[in-house]
């Protein structure tokens, strides 16, 4: 299964959570040294401020006008110095222009391919099924070699405390907490780890090392309790956003597969 890089995913998400569409409006707002600044540019700037929660007021519009004048003056000076001809500056301008096109395309695609309530509800049902009906409070000790994990198990059987032995774990997040991973659903762990957790009785530890891609684990189940998933309406927006991201990621993968790249 293909996966986009974290960078690509971040770029796509940034494009999805972008500025609202700006209605076209012809006309010139102001002219600076013979260069016209259109009303469309002012509207785009206004939409950006409104998206950040700033209410539209006459003062805001005037501030935007003054800011656009300042920007145009500085841009004109940059061009006089030939900075727009420098390769690194031109490359940055190309990237910015490209980002605008990507944002517009993704907004249009999402509008034409909306996520339905049925899709979101199906995703919610899948999440519930993956979570299961129980969550577990777990500790673990992670080591590189199987022999080390076996020795830890021997020492546990001799009566040594799990918290003390956890100091040799290579998991920095839990090592200083006696191996404590807190409460979680088995679905949140890699498969061998999750299966080992569900197979343990309360207060028991794994008597054979559990191998994952991270190394060898010794796992202790401290407690378990019924797991109540959050209500559908509470996580519906997050699920819809995730489905949109997955939809865009699939689109990019399909485009990549069809593209002629040399």
């Amino acid at each position: 299964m293909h996966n986009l890089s974290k960078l690509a995913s971040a770029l796509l998400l940034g494009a999805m959570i972008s500025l609202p569409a700006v209605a076209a409006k012809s006309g010139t707002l102001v002219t600076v040294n013979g260069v016209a600044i259109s009303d469309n540019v002012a509207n785009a700037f206004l939409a950006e401020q409104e998206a950040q929660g700033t209410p539209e007021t006459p003062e805001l519009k005037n501030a935007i006008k003054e800011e656009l004048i300042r920007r145009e003056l500085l841009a004109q000076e940059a061009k006089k110095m030939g900075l727009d001809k420098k390769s690194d500056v031109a490359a940055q301008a190309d990237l910015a222009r490209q980002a605008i096109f990507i944002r517009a395309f993704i907004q249009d695609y999402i509008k034409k391919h909306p996520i339905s309530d049925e899709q979101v509800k199906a995703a919610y049902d899948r999440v519930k099924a993956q979570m299961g009906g129980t969550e577990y409070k777990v500790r673990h000790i992670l080591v590189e070699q199987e022999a080390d994990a076996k020795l830890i198990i021997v020492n546990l059987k001799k009566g040594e405390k799990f918290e003390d032995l956890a100091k040799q774990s290579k998991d920095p997040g839990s090592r200083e907490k006696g191996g404590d991973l807190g409460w979680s659903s088995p679905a949140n762990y890699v498969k061998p780890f999750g299966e080992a957790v569900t197979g343990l009785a309360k207060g028991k530890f794994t008597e054979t090392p559990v191998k994952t891609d991270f190394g060898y684990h010794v796992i202790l189940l401290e407690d378990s309790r019924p797991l109540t998933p959050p209500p559908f309406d509470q996580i519906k927006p997050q699920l819809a956003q995730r489905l949109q991201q997955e939809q865009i990621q699939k689109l990019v993968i399909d485009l990549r597969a069809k593209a002629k790249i040399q």
Side-chain angles (χ1 to χ4, degrees):
M1 179 179 179
H2 298 283
N3 288 305
L4 291 179
S5 69
K6 291 183 179 180
L7 174 60
S9 297
L11 290 173
L12 288 172
L13 179 59
M16 290 167 63
I17 308 174
S18 53
L19 305 182
V22 180
K25 179 180 178 182
S26 60
T28 298
L29 174 71
V30 65
T31 301
V32 181
N33 293 330
V35 177
I37 300 176
S38 71
D39 287 322
N40 285 339
V41 174
N43 289 338
F45 206 129
L46 177 61
E48 181 178 349
Q49 298 304 308
E50 290 178 332
Q52 296 173 7
T54 306
E56 178 182 344
T57 63
E59 290 78 14
L60 176 61
K61 288 185 174 181
N62 185 62
I64 288 173
K65 178 180 178 181
E66 290 303 314
E67 176 62 19
L68 291 175
I69 290 171
R70 287 194 291 270
R71 291 188 179 201
E72 179 58 35
L73 288 170
L74 291 171
Q76 289 179 16
E77 290 302 306
K79 290 178 181 178
K80 287 179 184 177
M81 296 173 62
L83 296 178
D84 57 323
K85 307 300 182 184
K86 293 184 63 175
S87 59
D88 58 335
V89 175
Q92 292 177 50
D94 287 342
L95 286 173
R97 184 177 179 84
Q98 187 183 60
I100 293 169
F101 292 146
I102 292 171
R103 184 172 64 200
F105 168 75
I106 291 178
Q107 286 179 331
D108 182 73
Y109 184 87
I110 290 174
K111 182 178 180 180
K112 292 176 179 177
H113 302 83
I115 301 297
S116 68
D117 287 343
E118 290 76 14
Q119 288 175 290
V120 181
K121 184 60 169 62
Y124 178 73
D125 291 338
R126 289 195 298 271
V127 169
K128 283 203 304 181
Q130 290 170 357
M131 291 174 65
T134 307
E135 63 179 345
Y136 301 85
K137 190 174 189 302
V138 173
R139 292 180 186 268
H140 85 136
I141 302 170
L142 174 63
V143 291
E144 195 73 39
Q145 303 298 325
E146 183 178 14
D148 295 332
K150 288 181 176 179
L151 181 58
I152 290 169
I153 293 169
V154 169
N155 289 330
L156 285 170
K157 288 181 178 180
K158 289 180 179 178
E160 293 193 36
K161 291 184 178 180
F162 197 96
E163 293 86 339
D164 293 337
L165 293 171
K167 293 176 181 178
Q168 60 189 287
S169 176
K170 69 171 190 172
D171 176 11
S174 66
R175 181 174 57 220
E176 302 306 320
K177 298 183 294 183
D180 188 13
L181 294 175
W183 289 94
S184 187
S185 162
N188 292 329
Y189 299 121
V190 292
K191 190 174 181 179
F193 193 105
E195 289 177 346
V197 168
T198 57
L200 283 170
K202 180 179 175 180
K204 299 297 183 180
F205 56 83
T206 51
E207 296 194 5
T208 57
V210 178
K211 187 179 185 304
T212 71
D213 291 340
F214 302 102
Y216 291 88
H217 307 257
V218 180
I219 305 168
L220 169 66
L221 173 60
E222 291 194 313
D223 203 355
S224 64
R225 65 188 181 189
L227 174 61
T228 303
F232 173 68
D233 289 341
Q234 181 179 324
I235 63 171
K236 181 180 177 181
Q238 294 94 321
L239 287 174
Q241 185 182 69
R242 190 179 77 179
L243 290 174
Q244 280 187 339
Q245 287 178 268
E246 292 174 353
Q247 186 181 53
I248 297 300
Q249 288 175 353
K250 183 180 183 304
L251 170 66
V252 174
I253 289 169
D254 291 343
L255 291 172
R256 182 69 169 79
K258 297 174 185 176
K260 295 180 181 179
I261 300 175
Q262 298 177 336

